């Protein structure tokens, strides 16, 4: 059996060069804009590792990115492009919010049920995309985007109707019994908002690896992704596999929403836009090559960059949006590896001549 | 009658940006290059129009400055189009991924630049000179129709003119035939002497710049400045319009008008007593819900250009 090839030299070369070139281009943009890139990156690193609290909050930022990365990655492996993670996150927080505020259950069980409700609603939202693609042939790209906005306003509607905290633009807070904060770990990192989602994310990475590579369902999923027609002729139920894959993808997204409500904010704010985390998930999954370990590593990278970027604006006056540009550059070079190879061709030739 | 006239006139206002954006997306997709980046191109157009119009204003161009803004959006958005074209055409990158990169890069860089240029502010200054509705003499006097069509922003007339021009180019000229053939069967097109990659470069770059006019329209008519939520998903609605309109300019325009109508309904219905009982979220949701329902119900199998999404590989000839 062929082992996954993530540790081969070639497959590591492009992402690492892409990251370096992305950071250098970011520095260049800062320099041209009249900022000090060295001070900026220095304050970014200080922000990430500066204190135990910051390190805890960095981990909190990484968790949803890894989950979103997995959500996008699993759909990619089946040949689908899930731009709808944002909507699945919203449905996930809605499910968790409803259970967290409207239901009375003993501690622990309450949190668990709330998480499951969020995961299930997110999964349904994803499965709907998969169904429309599989049965009606409608591009998942368009439906998932439409469902993002429908989820946004649907959630606002429900919150306004029966969960609004009087006189504010946010929902009432969840009951304490539904909290999934890990207080002992939180105390360890000076009160950073670490929660059980941290553990679930690690389990999700393991689940993804095992499901995709060790089970019959994972084999079918990959077969559909490589060639749906061949999979169909081999007797696989392609529509069923697409719906199932999108359900799992939606569950990953739904969990992100549930974590935020139950572990971090305790309420849902009424916002005019979606979080955009789903789009970051696309970046994470692409850089990670849609593999479990790759998604974990790139989630850690983008999470650290995102959290650290707040330090850049504070310490060096650089607008934090620069990190969006850096992330954009990185995926651009990963998506078009030919450019990376072109950039480094002179060096390649030299080393060969020397050898 | 007045209400319906207002509703339809409002439809034109909301649809204009979508018509530009959908036409932009269509040109690229007809040549075989998927354009998920329309949202990013609209953001780029909105930003560049706000900035060029602002500087034109401070330089004293007065009433001409929105026109300069429009041109600025068209010209400067070539940057992002070229990035997409290079990645997809020369380097055979996954076109959906490249489009996503455009969306991330466009939003990231424009917000960065806004903060950089305007000293940390999250949005551009409000423009004093924007487009105003133009009443076309005599034609406005036609009952009903005059009020609906002949009292609109100049950008609306530009958008509709572009649709007609491109419909003609695509289906009545040799260049249009070449562009379509490159999107259907690039290898066959190449054997009869069509320069596949050059044609695709032209159409992708044109695509981004025309989609940018959509973003510019929003800034130069209704919003008067550029902020982080100026576009908020309209590029994706335009993308849906391309699909619902079956990659046909007039079809895409009709689909864009449908979404514009859904948005106009929101504005017009808030006047009524009974409508105030309907939660406002429903009206916000309407365009998206409508898109989804139209996709599910009316469209059936839509027919995309055959080579859409496939990089041109000369070896496959």
């Amino acid at each position: 059996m062929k082992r996954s090839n993530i540790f081969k030299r070639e497959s590591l070369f492009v992402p690492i060069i892409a990251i370096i070139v992305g950071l250098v281009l970011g520095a260049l943009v800062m320099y041209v804009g009249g900022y000090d890139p060295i001070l900026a990156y220095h304050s970014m690193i200080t922000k990430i590792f500066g204190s135990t609290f910051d390190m805890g909050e960095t981990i909190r930022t990484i968790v949803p990115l890894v989950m979103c990365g997995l959500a996008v990655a699993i759909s990619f492996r089946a040949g689908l492009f899930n731009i709808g993670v944002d909507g699945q996150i919203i449905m996930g927080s809605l499910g968790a919010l409803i259970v967290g505020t409207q239901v009375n259950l003993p501690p622990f069980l309450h949190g668990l049920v709330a998480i499951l409700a969020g995961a299930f609603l997110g999964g349904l939202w994803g499965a709907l995309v998969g169904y429309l693609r599989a049965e009606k042939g409608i591009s998942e790209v368009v439906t998932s985007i439409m469902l993002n906005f429908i989820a946004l306003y649907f959630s606002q509607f429900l919150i306004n109707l029966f969960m609004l905290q009087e006189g504010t633009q946010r929902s009432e807070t969840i009951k304490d019994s539904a909290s999934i904060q890990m207080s002992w770990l939180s105390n360890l990192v000076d009160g950073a908002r670490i929660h059980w989602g941290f553990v679930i994310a690690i389990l999700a990475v393991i689940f993804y690896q095992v499901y995709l590579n060790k089970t019959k369902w994972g084999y079918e999923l990959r077969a559909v992704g490589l060639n749906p027609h061949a999979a169909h002729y081999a007797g696989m139920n392609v529509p069923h596999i697409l719906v199932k894959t999108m359900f799992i993808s939606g569950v990953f997204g739904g969990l992100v929403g549930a974590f935020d409500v139950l572990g971090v904010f305790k309420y849902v704010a009424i916002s005019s836009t979606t979080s955009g985390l789903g789009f970051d998930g696309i970046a994470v999954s692409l850089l990670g090559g849609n593999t479990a370990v790759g998604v974990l590593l790139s989630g850690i990278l983008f999470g650290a960059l995102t959290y650290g970027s707040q330090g850049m604006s504070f310490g060096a006056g650089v607008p934090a949006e620069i990190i969006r540009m850096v992330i954009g550059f990185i995926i651009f070079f990963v998506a078009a590896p030919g450019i990376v190879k072109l950039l480094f061709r002179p060096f390649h030739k030299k080393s060969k001549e020397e050898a | 009658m007045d209400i319906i006239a207002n509703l339809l006139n409002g439809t034109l206002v909301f649809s204009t940006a979508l018509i530009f954006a959908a036409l932009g997306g269509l040109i690229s997709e007809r040549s075989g290059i998927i354009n998920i980046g329309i949202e990013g191109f609209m953001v780029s157009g909105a930003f560049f129009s706000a900035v060029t119009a602002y500087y034109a204003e401070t330089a004293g161009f007065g009433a001409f400055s929105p026109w300069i803004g429009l041109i600025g959006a068209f010209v400067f958005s070539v940057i992002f189009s070229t990035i997409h074209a290079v990645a997809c055409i020369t380097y055979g990158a996954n076109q959906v991924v490249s489009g996503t990169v455009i969306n991330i890069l466009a939003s990231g860089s424009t917000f960065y630049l806004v903060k950089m240029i305007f000293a940390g502010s999250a949005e551009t200054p409000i423009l004093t000179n924007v487009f105003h509705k133009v009443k076309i003499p005599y034609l406005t006097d036609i009952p009903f129709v005059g009020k609906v069509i002949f009292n609109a922003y100049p950008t609306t007339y530009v958008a509709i003119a572009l649709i007609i021009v491109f419909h003609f180019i695509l289906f009545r000229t040799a260049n249009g035939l070449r562009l379509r053939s490159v999107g259907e069967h690039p290898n066959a097109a190449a054997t009869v002497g069509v320069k596949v990659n050059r044609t695709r470069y032209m159409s992708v770059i044109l695509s981004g710049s025309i989609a940018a006019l959509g973003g510019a329209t929003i800034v130069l008519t209704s919003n008067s400045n550029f902020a982080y939520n100026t576009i908020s998903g309209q590029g994706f609605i335009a993308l849906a319009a391309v699909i619902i309109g079956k990659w046909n300019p007039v079809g895409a325009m009709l689909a864009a008008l449908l979404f514009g109508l859904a948005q106009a309904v929101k504005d017009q219905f808030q006047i009524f007593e009974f409508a105030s009982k309907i939660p406002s979220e429903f009206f916000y949701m309407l365009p998206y819900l409508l898109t989804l329902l139209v996709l599910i119900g009316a469209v059936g199998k839509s027919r995309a250009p055959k080579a859409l999404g496939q990089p041109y590989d000369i070896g496959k000839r």
Side-chain angles (χ1 to χ4, degrees):
Chain A
M1 204 170 132
K2 202 174 147 252
R3 301 292 300 172
S4 70
N5 60 350
I6 35 172
F7 293 114
K8 272 189 193 154
R9 194 168 149 269
E10 180 73 358
S11 59
L12 265 180
F13 174 76
V14 169
I16 287 177
I17 298 296
I19 292 165
I20 294 170
V21 176
L23 287 169
V24 169
L25 275 178
L28 206 65
V29 172
M30 285 187 257
Y31 184 75
V32 172
Y35 302 107
D36 181 352
I38 295 170
L39 178 66
Y41 280 137
H42 182 261
S43 14
M44 182 177 87
I45 290 165
T46 320
K47 180 74 183 171
I48 301 170
F49 299 107
S51 65
T52 45
F53 173 79
D54 281 327
M55 283 166 77
E57 284 285 301
T58 305
I59 292 172
R60 179 183 75 77
T61 316
I62 289 168
V63 166
L65 283 170
V66 170
M67 297 294 299
C68 289
L70 292 178
V72 177
I74 199 166
S75 67
F76 255 129
R77 292 300 281 268
L80 294 171
F81 192 60
N82 182 8
I83 314 195
V85 180
D86 270 1
Q88 291 142 22
I89 292 173
I90 292 171
M91 293 311 280
S93 29
L94 185 65
L97 183 72
I98 292 173
V99 174
T101 57
Q102 308 296 317
V103 178
N104 280 314
L105 280 171
F108 184 73
L109 191 67
H110 197 177
L112 192 68
V113 173
I115 289 179
L116 288 176
F120 183 70
L121 266 192
L124 273 189
W125 217 242
L128 187 57
V129 174
Y131 171 80
L132 291 173
R133 164 66 191 260
E135 301 290 342
K136 305 266 176 191
I138 307 170
S139 159
E140 76 279 9
V141 171
V142 178
T143 53
S144 60
I145 291 160
M146 296 303 136
L147 284 170
N148 282 349
F149 290 98
I150 294 172
L152 178 71
Y153 297 118
F154 179 63
S155 144
Q156 285 183 8
F157 165 69
L158 281 188
I159 292 170
N160 270 327
L161 197 66
F162 70 105
M163 285 179 288
L164 194 73
Q165 194 174 66
E166 283 301 316
T168 61
Q169 276 300 298
R170 61 183 176 87
S171 75
E172 43 188 284
T173 48
I174 57 157
K175 297 190 168 111
D176 280 339
S177 53
S179 167
I180 59 163
Q181 280 188 327
M182 298 166 92
S183 38
W184 57 273
L185 194 63
S186 251
N187 291 336
L188 212 67
V189 286
D190 295 328
R193 294 163 292 178
I194 292 195
H195 48 75
W196 279 100
F198 172 56
V199 178
I200 297 174
I202 294 170
L203 293 176
V205 172
I206 297 169
F207 168 82
Y208 180 87
Q209 171 72 17
V210 172
Y211 183 87
L212 211 61
N213 300 308
K214 303 283 178 216
T215 68
K216 173 181 154 257
W217 306 296
Y219 176 77
E220 289 180 336
L221 190 162
R222 284 180 293 141
V224 169
L226 291 172
N227 189 337
H229 301 292
H232 173 73
Y233 286 117
M236 295 176 193
N237 186 346
V238 176
H240 182 78
I241 293 164
L242 291 181
V243 174
K244 192 163 62 178
T245 305
M246 283 305 295
F247 180 80
I248 299 173
S249 175
V251 164
F252 287 143
L255 283 172
V256 173
F259 295 164
D260 263 358
V261 174
L262 304 169
V264 183
F265 299 110
K266 306 286 172 85
Y267 60 84
V268 174
I270 292 181
S271 154
S272 61
T273 52
T274 59
S275 63
L277 266 173
F279 288 92
D280 294 343
I282 297 170
V284 171
S285 86
L286 289 172
L287 183 67
N290 302 324
T291 62
V293 179
V295 166
L296 181 66
L297 291 178
S298 66
I300 290 172
L301 175 77
F302 287 151
L305 287 179
T306 306
Y307 185 71
S309 69
Q310 299 167 18
M312 289 166 87
S313 54
F314 192 72
V318 184
E321 281 79 10
I322 185 77
I323 232 59
R324 311 275 315 151
M325 292 178 74
V326 171
I327 289 174
F329 290 140
I330 293 174
I331 321 168
F332 176 73
F333 291 119
V334 172
I339 298 179
V340 172
K341 284 175 187 150
L342 187 77
L343 280 174
F344 285 83
R345 190 176 291 162
F347 302 100
H348 253 298
K349 267 187 192 154
K350 225 176 256 170
S351 62
K352 268 183 194 158
E353 277 163 17
E354 280 165 12
Chain B
M1 215 45 180
D2 255 12
I3 290 160
I4 296 174
N6 281 340
L7 183 71
L8 294 181
N9 191 261
T11 301
L12 278 186
V13 173
F14 285 117
S15 302
T16 304
L18 293 174
I19 293 174
F20 278 124
L23 180 62
L26 185 143
I27 294 167
S28 155
E29 302 217 335
R30 270 288 181 176
S31 79
I33 306 290
I34 298 174
N35 200 343
I36 299 276
I38 300 181
E39 175 84 2
F41 292 125
M42 284 184 86
V43 170
S44 153
F47 166 76
F48 284 117
S49 69
V51 172
T52 40
Y54 171 75
Y55 282 115
E57 209 169 77
T58 42
F61 282 96
F64 283 111
S65 56
W67 288 104
I68 297 172
L70 207 60
I71 294 165
F74 188 86
V75 171
F76 289 116
S77 294
V78 165
I79 305 168
F80 289 107
S81 324
T82 309
I83 294 175
H84 187 52
V86 169
C88 293
I89 301 166
T90 306
Y91 290 98
N94 181 323
Q95 297 171 4
V96 178
V97 172
S98 173
T100 311
V101 169
I102 295 302
N103 289 337
I104 295 177
L105 271 185
S107 66
S109 58
T110 52
F111 300 145
Y112 172 82
L113 286 171
V114 166
K115 282 189 183 169
M116 200 186 96
I117 299 172
F118 301 103
S121 167
E123 43 192 88
T124 64
I126 305 280
L127 299 165
T128 39
N129 291 291
V130 288
F131 286 122
H132 297 286
K133 284 191 177 173
V134 181
K135 280 188 183 161
I136 296 183
Y138 307 115
L139 290 176
T140 329
D141 299 333
I142 305 172
F144 192 68
V145 177
K147 206 170 176 188
V148 173
I149 299 174
F150 298 111
N151 178 24
Y153 290 109
T155 42
T156 306
Y157 300 124
V158 175
I160 293 172
L162 272 184
I163 289 283
I164 296 166
V165 167
F166 272 94
H167 197 88
F168 179 80
I169 291 178
L170 269 178
F171 299 110
R172 293 278 181 277
T173 68
N175 279 326
L177 181 66
R178 286 188 193 109
L179 195 145
R180 283 185 293 138
S181 69
V182 159
E184 294 290 335
H185 204 313
N187 292 307
T191 50
V192 294
V194 178
K195 300 244 184 315
V196 174
N197 283 351
R198 201 168 71 183
T199 310
R200 286 187 164 178
Y201 259 97
M202 303 260 278
S203 55
V204 171
I205 289 171
L206 199 60
S207 157
S209 288
I210 289 182
L213 293 180
T217 298
I218 295 174
V219 166
L220 299 172
T221 58
S222 43
N223 276 36
S224 307
N225 80 334
F226 171 77
Y228 82 100
N229 60 355
T230 301
I231 303 301
S232 67
Q234 301 219 43
F236 294 114
I237 298 187
L239 198 68
V242 175
I243 296 171
I244 293 174
K246 301 193 175 175
W247 288 268
N248 181 308
V250 175
M253 181 179 75
L254 293 176
L257 284 170
L258 185 68
F259 303 139
L261 178 69
Q263 268 175 294
V265 162
K266 180 182 68 193
D267 278 17
Q268 290 299 319
F269 272 50
Q270 276 163 355
I271 313 165
F272 292 113
E273 183 74 30
F274 76 89
S276 65
K277 292 201 177 67
I278 304 171
S280 60
E281 292 89 359
F282 175 75
F283 288 111
Y284 286 110
M285 199 195 279
L286 197 60
Y288 307 102
L289 204 59
L290 199 66
T291 311
L292 201 63
L293 292 177
V294 169
L295 276 171
I296 294 169
V299 174
K301 289 278 175 208
S302 58
R303 161 97 176 66
K306 270 212 184 85
L308 190 61
Q310 294 164 8
Y312 169 57
D313 180 358
I314 202 166
K316 277 188 186 159
R317 197 194 285 180

